[in-house]
Amino acid sequence: MPDQATASRPFIRQGAPAADRWTLVRDADAERPASPAIVPLSLWQQTSASDALAPWLASDTELTPELAAELVKAPLIAVDFPKFTDGRGYSLARLLRERYGYTGEIRAIGDVLVDQCFYLTRCGFDALSLREDQWLEDALHALNAFSRAYQPAVDEPEPLFRHRLREAIHEAEPALA
């Protein structure tokens, strides 16, 4: 793969390339960054609610009802993938969407690879900050790699077999009449 000279990570929002106006701050002890910034959860919790600061959650964050109620105030929530083999972030996104009804942006950050794009969006992520060595064009293609999915998820709560069953019943109705 040729070198990809880029000043920032490839970024996708709502299935399309986008400019990322947020600065990611990894260190909770860092000086307050220029706004807007995504900061560690502990730092975000120490500040007053603002549209210029958003939290990032570590993959081992315990998402309690109390924390979820706090996070509703966040303009976006980033979920960290410390390594691509750590799948706990998928569960965090699904819990935020399905159990706690979070409707704002959920962003994947960290070791995010093209291979994960389709599955991340199925779990509720609507923004993807890819690893620097990933190709934006490949990621966009990966979002549409599958035309249908068998399993229910955030993006399609009905499993494919139920959809197919309903279609079969609908097609058989004129023959029964």
Side-chain angles (χ1 to χ4, degrees), residues 20-25 31-39 50-54:
D20 186 3
R21 63 183 191 91
W22 291 81
T23 301
L24 177 61
V25 177
E31 287 186 32
R32 173 131 183 186
S35 295
I38 300 170
V39 298
S50 162
D51 286 342
L53 280 183

Side-chain angles (χ1 to χ4, degrees), residues 125-142:
F125 287 94
D126 47 14
L128 310 171
S129 180
L130 301 167
R131 201 169 72 185
E132 289 91 350
D133 65 344
Q134 301 296 288
W135 292 81
L136 183 61
E137 296 78 18
D138 291 345
L140 293 170
H141 178 70

Side-chain angles (χ1 to χ4, degrees), residues 165-177:
L165 181 61
R166 193 173 55 255
E167 284 177 349
I169 290 171
H170 184 349
E171 289 172 5
E173 285 176 349
L176 298 174

Side-chain angles (χ1 to χ4, degrees), residues 1-118:
M1 176 162 66
D3 284 338
Q4 184 182 18
T6 178
S8 63
R9 292 172 170 258
F11 184 67
I12 298 171
R13 179 180 290 120
Q14 299 293 331
D20 186 3
R21 63 183 191 91
W22 291 81
T23 301
L24 177 61
V25 177
R26 290 284 186 179
D27 185 7
D29 297 326
E31 287 186 32
R32 173 131 183 186
S35 295
I38 300 170
V39 298
L41 176 62
S42 61
L43 181 58
W44 180 78
Q45 288 175 314
Q46 295 168 10
T47 62
S48 58
S50 162
D51 286 342
L53 280 183
W56 65 264
L57 308 179
S59 62
D60 63 351
T61 300
E62 182 181 351
L63 193 56
T64 62
E66 296 78 22
L67 177 57
E70 267 185 86
L71 292 171
V72 168
K73 300 178 284 189
L76 73 87
I77 300 169
V79 177
D80 188 37
F81 286 81
K83 16 181 205 178
F84 78 92
T85 57
D86 187 341
R88 294 175 289 179
Y90 292 93
S91 299
L92 286 172
R94 280 199 78 166
L95 287 169
L96 284 166
R97 294 280 190 225
E98 294 175 336
R99 183 177 294 171
Y100 299 113
Y102 185 76
T103 58
E105 178 180 306
I106 300 179
R107 177 182 297 201
I109 61 171
D111 197 14
V112 179
L113 304 178
V114 166
D115 297 352
Q116 298 168 286
C117 292
F118 177 76

